[in-house]
């Protein structure tokens, strides 16, 4: 497990020097053994042997070098799903901004297809909770929100509603942008009462999670649904209501 954890942490910082002390802190956050440096050296030696054989998809094009009092895993970015995901999301976000909704939906779907469950799930199961994992989850949610936005712009309300109902049943903490997209999808499908029910569910989820009320954007959306604001009837409401709230980040 030490070898897998070292590899996982180095992959999160691929092509960047990582100090020995930082690696040790990552592997043993609270209970560092007296022989931690020796254990790490053994793990690195094992990784180097594995990479040198070329028996895995990432060898022999990858190398693990000693660098600046630590180590650096050199690996082509196209061999790391995280890098590929970031490139696709950036491209999909630009397509969405340019109004190329079919292309954006396809690009973001490809980005999401790189995920196979939780990143580094085997390490998380044994208690790993690196701060670096938080932006990974956020990037995945941002891609999903962008894909839903593109699909709604293409008129795929039924599919989006069905999928969002499933996604939102398993989201913690509550994500207000997802609730907003579902409310808009329902309202634009002529289902005002259900859209307001979603707001009440969102309100309860946000209060339970943070003790605070939903943000002003979501509250404003509820009010506009209650008053049948004409702004909600346009497909552009999905990206323009308000853009800084629903845009892919």
């Amino acid at each position: 497990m030490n070898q897998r954890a070292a590899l996982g942490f180095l992959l999160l910082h691929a092509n960047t020097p990582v100090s020995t002390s930082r690696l040790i802190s990552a592997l043993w956050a609270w209970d560092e053994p007296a022989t931690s440096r020796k254990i790490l050296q053994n793990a690195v030696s094992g990784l180097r042997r594995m990479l040198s054989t070329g028996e895995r998809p990432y060898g022999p094009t990858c190398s693990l070098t000693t660098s600046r009092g630590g180590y650096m895993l050199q690996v082509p970015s196209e061999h790391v799903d995280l890098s590929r995901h970031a490139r696709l999301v950036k491209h999909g976000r630009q397509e969405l901004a340019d109004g190329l909704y079919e292309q954006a939906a396809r690009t973001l779907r490809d980005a999401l297809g790189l995920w196979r469950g939780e990143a580094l799930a085997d390490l998380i199961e044994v208690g790993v909770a690196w701060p670096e994992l938080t932006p990974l989850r956020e990037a995945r949610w941002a891609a999903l929100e962008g894909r839903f936005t593109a699909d709604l712009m293409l008129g795929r309300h039924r599919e989006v509603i069905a999928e969002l109902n499933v996604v939102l049943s398993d989201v913690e903490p509550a994500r207000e942008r997802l609730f907003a997209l579902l409310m808009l999808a329902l309202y634009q499908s002529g289902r005002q009462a259900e859209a307001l029910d979603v707001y009440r569910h969102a309100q309860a989820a946000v209060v339970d999670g943070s003790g605070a009320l939903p943000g002003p954007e979501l509250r404003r959306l509820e009010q506009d649904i209650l008053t049948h604001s004409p702004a909600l009837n346009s497909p552009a409401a999905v990206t323009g209501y308000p853009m800084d709230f629903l845009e892919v980040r």
Side-chain angles (χ1 to χ4, degrees):
M1 183 55 70
N2 291 326
Q3 186 170 295
R4 291 183 62 81
L7 176 60
F9 196 77
L10 288 166
L11 279 170
L12 287 174
H13 302 276
N15 304 307
T16 302
V18 179
S19 68
T20 298
S21 60
R22 192 176 179 191
L23 265 170
I24 288 174
S25 295
L27 269 63
W28 299 282
W30 297 285
D31 191 21
E32 178 186 343
T35 57
S36 59
R37 286 183 177 268
K38 182 62 176 177
I39 295 172
L40 177 60
Q41 289 171 356
N42 290 337
V44 168
S45 296
L47 288 173
R48 283 174 169 156
R49 285 194 300 273
M50 180 177 63
L51 293 172
S52 66
T53 63
E55 295 176 355
R56 300 293 183 93
Y58 35 77
T61 58
C62 305
S63 62
L64 181 52
T65 60
T66 302
S67 176
R68 299 182 189 177
Y71 304 97
M72 179 168 64
L73 181 63
Q74 295 177 298
V75 52
S77 60
E78 64 269 17
H79 289 193
V80 182
D81 284 348
L82 176 59
S83 300
R84 294 168 59 200
H85 180 268
R87 287 195 301 272
L88 286 168
V89 171
K90 182 179 180 180
H91 188 48
R93 178 171 56 188
Q94 187 60 57
E95 290 172 331
L96 190 60
D98 291 342
L100 304 173
Y101 302 120
E102 188 66 60
Q103 294 94 317
R106 183 165 52 249
T107 300
L108 293 169
R109 192 171 283 108
D110 288 344
L112 291 162
L114 294 173
W115 286 85
R116 301 292 187 274
E118 188 80 30
L120 302 179
D122 57 332
L123 299 178
I124 292 174
E125 287 178 359
V126 296
V128 165
W130 296 329
E132 290 86 351
L133 296 174
T134 299
L136 292 190
R137 299 185 186 102
E138 182 61 33
R140 185 181 186 182
W141 285 119
L144 188 60
E145 289 160 356
R147 201 215 81 205
F148 284 138
T149 298
D151 282 340
L152 287 178
M153 291 300 294
L154 294 166
R156 298 169 181 164
H157 290 64
R158 180 180 298 178
E159 295 88 342
V160 169
I161 290 169
E163 191 170 353
L164 272 171
N165 275 321
V166 173
V167 169
L168 284 167
S169 67
D170 194 36
V171 174
E172 290 187 11
R175 293 189 66 86
E176 294 188 26
R177 285 198 293 277
L178 288 177
F179 281 111
L181 287 168
L182 181 54
M183 290 167 66
L184 281 166
L186 287 166
Y187 184 83
Q188 291 181 348
S189 300
R191 298 159 66 177
Q192 181 198 24
E194 291 176 69
L196 293 172
D197 283 342
V198 169
Y199 176 79
R200 286 188 282 272
H201 179 63
Q203 184 179 44
V206 171
V207 170
D208 287 346
S210 66
L213 293 173
E217 295 89 355
L218 200 63
R219 298 201 302 270
R220 179 184 160 203
L221 177 56
E222 183 216 16
Q223 287 302 309
D224 283 357
I225 290 174
L226 284 167
T227 59
H228 295 278
S229 170
L232 297 180
N233 295 325
S234 168
V238 177
T239 56
Y241 191 89
M243 186 63 180
D244 63 347
F245 182 54
L246 296 176
E247 68 181 351
V248 184
R249 299 184 185 274

